[in-house]
Amino acid sequence: MSFLKDRGAGSLGDPSGIWVSDDDTKYVADMQRRQVVAYDRDDRFVRAYGGKGLFEKPVDVAVFEKRVYVIDMKKHSLFILNRDSGGLIKTVGGKGRGEGEFFRPTHVTVDFLGNVFVTDAFNFRIQEFSPDGRFMKIIGFHGDRLGGFARPKGLAADKQDNLYAVDAAFENVQIFDKKGQLLLFFG
């Protein structure tokens, strides 16, 4: 175990989510800073993403190739940034219940093909997007049956493109295939 060297420009205020990329760079969503802070493989500060009011409450981050995906809970949005420049590529979402809209999104993950999955917490579902932010499908629904969610939280994808979704109310993990069909659950 070691600590991130979060001093000076790399100081963290209220970290919420973390992603470790293939090159061992750590990306930390920080709600107090309203930025995503990156540290290299030796845990030294590299750069910060966001600024000038871009994020209001960044709660999670995921990285795939040259893109950084950031979930902002207060802005009900998914931000897609250029990994090298930090520039905004696209904003997806906004407050709502329709396809591609969110109500208090909390988590983001990316599968090995670059597809992006967002926990749309207060709409009780997960939404899938292409790497460029195009809506693809909804997974799950509000309910207490298998495949449903009451308080969806964390997400992860495995190498077979299965999606693992945690529900804090049911205290379980549901596993969905790439078509969005429930395979099994545990917990």
Side-chain angles (χ1 to χ4, degrees):
M1 289 290 283
S2 65
F3 293 94
L4 292 173
K5 296 170 180 70
D6 67 328
R7 296 173 197 84
S11 293
L12 294 172
D14 190 7
S16 178
I18 187 168
W19 184 273
V20 181
S21 64
D22 291 339
D23 66 356
D24 287 332
T25 301
K26 292 103 183 146
Y27 297 82
V28 180
D30 190 300
M31 296 182 295
Q32 183 180 333
R33 285 182 63 139
R34 296 181 181 181
Q35 293 180 314
V36 170
V37 187
Y39 303 88
D40 66 15
R41 70 176 53 248
D42 297 315
D43 299 333
R44 292 180 303 236
F45 173 74
V46 176
R47 67 170 302 153
Y49 294 85
K52 299 179 186 170
L54 180 63
F55 305 133
E56 203 169 324
K57 189 174 182 179
V59 292
D60 204 14
V61 59
V63 177
F64 184 78
E65 294 178 348
K66 295 294 181 182
R67 295 183 181 199
V68 177
Y69 301 93
V70 181
I71 289 297
D72 191 305
M73 182 184 273
K74 279 194 176 178
K75 288 191 174 182
H76 309 278
S77 297
L78 167 67
F79 290 86
I80 304 172
L81 307 175
N82 180 290
R83 184 177 180 179
D84 295 329
S85 71
L88 179 65
I89 295 172
K90 185 176 186 177
T91 303
V92 177
K95 190 175 183 178
R97 297 189 178 280
E99 293 178 349
E101 296 176 326
F102 305 109
F103 188 40
R104 302 280 186 197
T106 59
H107 294 84
V108 62
T109 196
V110 181
D111 70 14
F112 291 90
L113 300 174
N115 297 311
V116 182
F117 298 87
V118 176
T119 302
D120 189 4
F122 284 21
N123 281 329
F124 311 100
R125 63 189 183 185
I126 296 163
Q127 293 194 61
E128 180 181 353
F129 298 87
S130 67
D132 63 356
R134 182 179 40 85
F135 171 81
M136 294 175 67
K137 70 175 160 265
I138 290 173
I139 300 169
F141 52 87
H142 185 209
D144 60 1
R145 298 185 335 260
L146 291 176
F149 296 106
R151 202 173 334 143
K153 292 288 183 182
L155 289 173
D158 68 18
K159 292 181 180 179
Q160 287 76 40
D161 297 323
N162 295 315
L163 182 69
Y164 295 70
V166 176
D167 192 295
F170 298 138
E171 299 178 354
N172 71 4
V173 176
Q174 297 185 81
I175 304 171
F176 298 88
D177 67 13
K178 57 186 159 196
K179 294 178 184 175
Q181 300 298 311
L182 180 67
L183 295 175
L184 60 102
F185 72 96
F186 60 90

